[in-house]
Amino acid sequence: MSSPTLDLPGAVPAPEDSVDRGVPWHFGDPFAEQRSAARAAVLVDRSHREVIAVPGEERLSWLHLVLSQHLTELPDGQGTEALVLDTHGRVDSHMLVAHHEGVVYLDTDAASEVTSALPSIGVNGRQSLPDYLDAMRFWSKVEPRDATSEFAVLTAMGPDAGGILAGFTEVPSDAYEVRGLPGGGFVRNVPFRALQTYDLLVPRESLVDWWLKLTDAGIRPSGTMAFEALRVEALRPRVGMDTDDRSIPHELGWIHLAAHVAKGCYRGQETVAKVHNVGKPPRRMVLLHLDGSVEVSPEIGDPVFHGDRKVGRVGSVVQHHELGPVALALLKRTAPVDGELMAGDPEEDRAVAAAVDPDSVPPDSGEPPGRVAVDRLRGR
């Protein structure tokens, strides 16, 4: 679908081949939009995101079995993050979760697909997330539905965002806290490192009204180009861009945040628990600083090399207003984080020098808890 905000003055649409097509890419100056997010406040139209509503008296217990997160005790007015994994624990879909007025809302990237529970269903063993959830209902007292036509996502970011929003609604102060909006929908506090960020799920017919109210109040109109740069800076991965068909939650910083390691069975849970308790993930996500002195740039899926050895995969590539050209990448644990790397496909003449941002390297958590327990039992 195409957002009506594309008809507003200054809106530049995302390219047709972009995953963010259908919403504004920027409003004339994407670097200024990034700076405004860091210093004041911006508003981003993310109404291309898919929204799924899950009402029903067994909504929490059912989602607890279907998704990777612990949800049985999620209180009304609170949210979290969650994943759908395949049977091998590989990431299929990531979503934000909000429990509001007796309904659980899931919002995720547009056209999100997951591995079907039944290979005979879907195309090449894949199906849309709404179809997958519907197929997993069985006899549970839930009625999941695609609510994308009902709700649209707007995102307000920046140190002034909360204060401006407070002129229109109660603003949630805690991480993932949810508060209702006047006229329907809700606002959710989203952890985004140090940057204050709020998602507003507004009735789709009120999308332009909310946009105009907030921008008239002083929030700068912004596009997904700025949002993506800030997302990369915040080390928040995106499925299909920063993941491949082998990615597991541990590699992406999603353990505890979106995947619970100790709850009962869910699809892929064995891998999650095993790697957490007795192993370490084979790769880790880091931020790469790219050589900006050349005109070429790596693309999503390109290799990362250390010398002649392939040590990783390039994910999202962005131009940041302060950091310059940067990218998220999945690197093997054995890859040096203090050496010079090359990111990009040399056969396509787009390989550039790259260096790992040391602050992005996940801390080593030491020996897995399962191994520590075994060693204690053995008296080591």
Side-chain angles (χ1 to χ4, degrees), residues 2 18 51 53 65 95 102 139 174 186 188 199 218 259 261 274 280 299 337 342 370 378:
S2 179
S18 169
V51 180
L65 296 174
M95 66 208 68
W139 297 279
D174 296 331
F186 58 85
R188 170 181 58 211
D199 285 340
V261 297
K274 185 175 181 180
K280 292 187 177 181
E299 296 180 0
V337 296
M342 294 296 292
R378 292 175 176 172

Side-chain angles (χ1 to χ4, degrees), residues 1-3 6 13-24 48 110-111 224:
M1 61 181 67
S2 179
S3 174
L6 286 170
E16 281 301 311
D17 60 352
S18 169
V19 294
D20 292 322
R21 62 188 176 275
V23 294
H48 57 320
T224 56

